[in-house]
Amino acid sequence: MLLSLRNWFVADKRTGRVRIEDGRLVPPAALGLKEGQYVRITGSTFNDGLHAWPYDGLTDEEFVGTVWALAIPQAVVDLADEIAAWQTEHAKELDSPYASESFGGYSYTRVGGDGSPITWRQQFKARLDPWRKL
């Protein structure tokens, strides 16, 4: 979702040698991370992505990359949870190759105004737009 918004809510970042030891990120100097804060790791072979601090499921490695301390508003985190729930609830329709079908008293249609299938981006567009960076 953050990639779609083009907004990572960056509070701080450090680029250089990064170490993952015993499954945990060794935070770069002066990157004051708080419990529950999200961090983004880039430049890693095994651990690129978004993680909550402190996360202990990483693969040990040392690499040159960037660790981003993020300040994601709780409203955005809540919206991401709501989107995940919507995707779970509509998984059958989203995975179906059909935009609509009808049989035995059952029918559904999943198309937007232009006739294309509805996606989570379209479904939540109005609520995502205030956080979007162009």
Side-chain angles (χ1 to χ4, degrees):
M1 182 178 89
L2 298 178
L3 184 61
S4 173
L5 292 174
R6 296 187 187 114
N7 189 350
W8 290 93
F9 303 95
V10 176
D12 200 0
K13 73 176 184 175
R14 296 288 182 273
T15 299
R17 263 215 146 347
V18 179
R19 192 167 36 111
I20 310 281
E21 187 176 287
D22 297 326
R24 297 185 70 174
L25 170 70
V26 177
L31 191 65
L33 300 174
K34 310 241 183 317
E35 188 166 333
Q37 182 175 8
Y38 287 95
V39 295
R40 179 183 179 203
I41 298 173
T42 60
S44 161
T45 300
F46 303 110
N47 300 294
D48 272 7
L50 187 65
H51 309 279
W53 175 258
Y55 183 77
D56 63 1
L58 301 174
T59 301
D60 289 359
E61 69 174 323
E62 190 167 328
F63 59 95
V64 175
T66 304
V67 177
W68 312 68
L70 308 179
I72 303 171
Q74 188 60 47
V76 173
V77 174
D78 294 343
L79 185 54
D81 291 341
E82 194 175 329
I83 289 169
W86 183 88
Q87 287 178 305
T88 299
E89 181 181 333
H90 294 89
K92 283 177 131 177
E93 296 92 27
L94 294 170
D95 290 340
S96 172
Y98 305 106
S100 68
E101 63 183 344
S102 177
F103 54 88
Y106 165 81
S107 70
Y108 83 87
T109 302
R110 65 170 177 104
V111 294
D114 64 354
S116 64
I118 293 178
T119 66
W120 66 267
R121 287 178 182 88
Q122 293 164 316
Q123 181 70 22
F124 292 90
K125 183 181 182 327
R127 294 176 57 199
L128 290 167
D129 280 351
W131 307 105
R132 189 174 314 281
K133 283 189 175 180
L134 299 177

